[in-house]
Amino acid sequence: MPPAEAARLVVLDASVAVRWVVDETGSDEAAALLERDVAWITPRLLLTEAASALRRKVADHALTPAVAGQSLDALLQAVADGVIRLVDDERVIAPALLLAMSLQHKVPDCVYVALAEREGAGIATADDRLARLARSRGVDVLQVPHA
């Protein structure tokens, strides 16, 4: 019997992770990605970016503090359950810095791209700039709509 085919590896961006736990434009499409045979990896940076996005939603009165906390807890549980595998940022920060300097792009976006390049993975994002950057580097993009 041939060995079972491994799940496709995809780097999860915070813009999609937040849409998994908060109902907004693109949430249905983001949730549909969970139905795919995908192994989700992400830099630890995702947790900081997701928490920052949730704080902005509270400041904009789009979420209550309690819902923001529950949303972050859901992402942390996905990590604890192995749905999302965190990769230490220090493993990709040097190539991310080189990318950012050569492409004149934000370092956080380049962290996701550097991880995708290192792992031969795609990227799931709702961020148009990150999607363009990834595509320019030959990285497959699973793009989710945004507002």
Side-chain angles (χ1 to χ4, degrees):
M1 260 180 103
E5 192 173 314
R8 178 177 177 205
L9 197 59
V10 177
V11 174
L12 176 65
D13 174 45
S15 64
V16 173
V18 168
R19 281 166 176 76
W20 281 352
V21 295
V22 173
D23 188 26
E24 62 181 280
T25 302
S27 289
D28 291 340
E29 292 85 351
L33 294 177
L34 286 169
E35 302 301 317
R36 293 185 177 203
D37 188 20
V38 167
W40 298 103
I41 62 170
T42 193
R44 289 187 181 279
L45 171 65
L46 173 128
L47 296 175
T48 301
E49 288 195 322
S52 180
L54 293 168
R55 187 218 51 88
R56 277 192 309 274
K57 290 179 182 307
V58 170
D60 293 343
H61 304 288
L63 290 179
T64 65
V67 170
Q70 292 165 355
S71 298
L72 184 60
D73 285 346
L75 289 176
L76 293 169
Q77 190 62 53
V79 170
D81 292 345
V83 174
I84 302 168
R85 180 173 56 92
L86 296 179
V87 176
D88 292 330
D89 293 353
E90 63 267 20
R91 296 183 64 175
V92 292
I93 195 66
L97 176 60
L98 292 175
L99 273 175
M101 291 185 303
S102 68
L103 301 173
Q104 298 179 349
H105 200 87
K106 299 184 305 184
V107 171
D109 284 355
C110 291
V111 169
Y112 292 99
V113 172
L115 178 58
E117 288 182 346
R118 190 189 89 192
E119 298 293 331
I123 290 181
T125 186
D127 181 320
D128 290 335
R129 288 191 61 188
L130 176 55
R132 281 193 304 275
L133 173 64
R135 286 187 185 107
S136 78
R137 304 284 300 172
V139 174
D140 185 40
V141 176
L142 302 175
Q143 192 151 10
V144 170
H146 61 85

